Amino acid sequence: MSLDGREMKKVFIDGGAGTTGLRILERLSGRADIEILTIPEDKRKDPETKKKIMNQAGVVFLCLPDAAAVESVALVDNPETVVIDASTAHRTNADWAYGFPELGEAFLQKLTSSKRIAVPGCHASGFIALVYPLIEKGILPKDALLSCHSLTGYSGGGKNMIAEYTTPERSTLLDAPEQYAITQQHKHLKEMKGITGIANAPVFCPIVGDFYSGMLVTVPLHASQIQGGLDDIRKAYKDRYTGEIVFYSDADGDGKTGFLSAAAYSGKDCMRISVHGNDERILLTATYDNLGKGASGAAIECMNIALGFPKNTGLEL
């Protein structure tokens, strides 16, 4: 039993040694309403032990590569166990809830009632948060040709990239930001296109910088691409994002006017949506932490909703 007399919820993290898994474990370990299930060391490679523990859990987090996530979810046959998958394997699967309740009541209701939940991707979260409300309101046509610029901290690359940036023998090339996914085949593109309902995947330019965590996603627009103007876009965001986790702000900068920092919300689980530019050229921006609303924070939010807890429980806002 927890300290307030409620029954503790049992949680198992499959892939707990990775960046997202470790962060989820860290967040949940201090909670009095959660019991973390673990596999005994001498049984770690025993599939039957793993299956037994997964089906004892109220919630199973999958922090695994796609193929391994598909294999693991097949082990869960307890109809009451909620599976929350942080991989890309199920994000566009119609049988799974997409874990971004701020997008609207339909997303929230499906998340509340589903036993299978896909955690949004880090880059995709910002793009979808910016584009979905404009498609929904008819401000942006579905056939719009879009681009997306995303600046992220190196923790988004997992253990290997973290080691690459933090080793004393690191390459001097890492002193400057690096653009990647230059073949335009990034794994988040399918999700960015599928969840927003746009007809064409965006030209996507992710860039990793020499800082641990944080993310700034920008979608540039020409005024000729939209129906309406800046005020219509701002109203769409103000109407859609009214909570503490995702919110609209008129802020003109971080620390100094005219400058936005990708690290402004490092260590936080919220996301700030803002609009900049003029009547001819517009910048839509989402600022958040790639490990927060872009990963483990979003996973915890999904768990809270699925278990009936207040959605902000355990989050840093």
Side-chain angles (χ1 to χ4, degrees), residues 157-174:
K159 282 188 171 182
N160 290 339
M161 184 171 284
I162 293 172
E164 186 181 8
Y165 270 84
T166 56
T167 181
E169 297 81 22
R170 77 178 205 172
S171 168
T172 57
L173 292 176
L174 301 182

Side-chain angles (χ1 to χ4, degrees), residues 23-305:
R23 188 73 179 105
I24 291 173
L25 177 61
E26 178 186 339
R27 290 163 176 269
L28 296 183
S29 294
R31 285 180 57 164
D33 52 0
I34 297 295
E35 176 188 354
I36 303 294
L37 301 181
T38 59
I39 299 176
E41 191 63 37
D42 61 342
K43 297 288 187 179
R44 284 197 174 277
K45 295 186 178 181
D46 179 13
E48 288 304 314
T49 299
K50 176 180 174 178
K51 180 176 181 178
K52 180 180 178 181
I53 290 177
M54 291 177 79
N55 285 284
Q56 290 174 350
V59 172
V60 171
F61 288 100
L62 303 181
C63 304
L64 302 164
D66 288 7
V70 172
E71 291 179 3
S72 279
V73 73
L75 299 177
V76 179
D77 52 27
N78 182 346
E80 298 304 314
T81 299
V82 177
V83 178
I84 301 176
D85 184 9
S87 81
T88 66
H90 300 101
R91 290 175 184 163
T92 57
N93 186 327
D95 294 330
W96 287 61
Y98 188 72
F100 205 128
E102 293 83 8
L103 293 179
E105 188 65 23
F107 286 86
L108 175 60
Q109 289 303 318
K110 189 168 183 178
L111 198 160
T112 301
S113 61
S114 180
K115 301 299 183 184
R116 299 291 182 267
I117 300 168
V119 180
C122 56
H123 296 288
S125 293
F127 178 82
I128 290 167
L130 293 170
V131 172
Y132 184 87
L134 305 189
I135 296 291
E136 179 186 39
K137 293 287 188 180
I139 296 172
L140 191 64
K142 290 185 177 181
D143 62 355
L145 297 176
L146 302 175
S147 60
C148 176
H149 170 282
S150 185
L151 180 59
T152 182
Y154 58 75
S155 59
K159 282 188 171 182
N160 290 339
M161 184 171 284
I162 293 172
E164 186 181 8
Y165 270 84
T166 56
T167 181
E169 297 81 22
R170 77 178 205 172
S171 168
T172 57
L173 292 176
L174 301 182
D175 295 342
E178 290 188 308
Q179 184 168 322
Y180 63 102
I182 57 178
T183 62
Q184 290 299 302
Q185 298 296 321
H186 195 283
K187 62 183 180 179
H188 289 183
L189 286 170
K190 181 179 178 181
E191 175 187 0
M192 293 158 80
K193 179 174 179 284
I195 300 301
T196 59
I198 55 177
N200 308 286
V203 175
F204 182 39
C205 303
I207 297 173
V208 60
D210 187 12
F211 58 103
Y212 182 72
S213 71
M215 185 163 273
L216 174 60
V217 173
T218 301
V219 176
L221 296 174
H222 283 279
S224 60
Q225 292 178 274
I226 63 172
Q227 298 295 320
L230 283 169
D231 288 344
D232 297 293
I233 294 175
R234 290 175 175 134
K235 185 178 187 306
Y237 290 150
K238 287 178 181 178
D239 291 345
R240 170 54 61 207
Y241 301 126
T242 58
E244 294 178 289
I245 295 179
V246 182
F247 61 93
Y248 174 79
S249 172
D250 289 315
D252 188 37
D254 296 318
K256 54 183 178 178
T257 301
F259 288 80
L260 298 178
S261 171
Y265 288 90
S266 178
K268 301 294 185 181
D269 294 310
C270 55
M271 175 187 288
R272 179 188 67 199
I273 301 297
S274 54
V275 181
H276 309 275
N278 52 51
D279 290 337
E280 295 180 1
R281 296 174 303 282
I282 301 164
L283 296 178
L284 314 176
T285 64
T287 314
Y288 52 108
D289 188 341
N290 57 289
L291 296 181
K293 184 59 175 169
S296 60
I300 298 298
E301 180 189 2
C302 290
M303 182 201 75
N304 288 337
I305 293 172

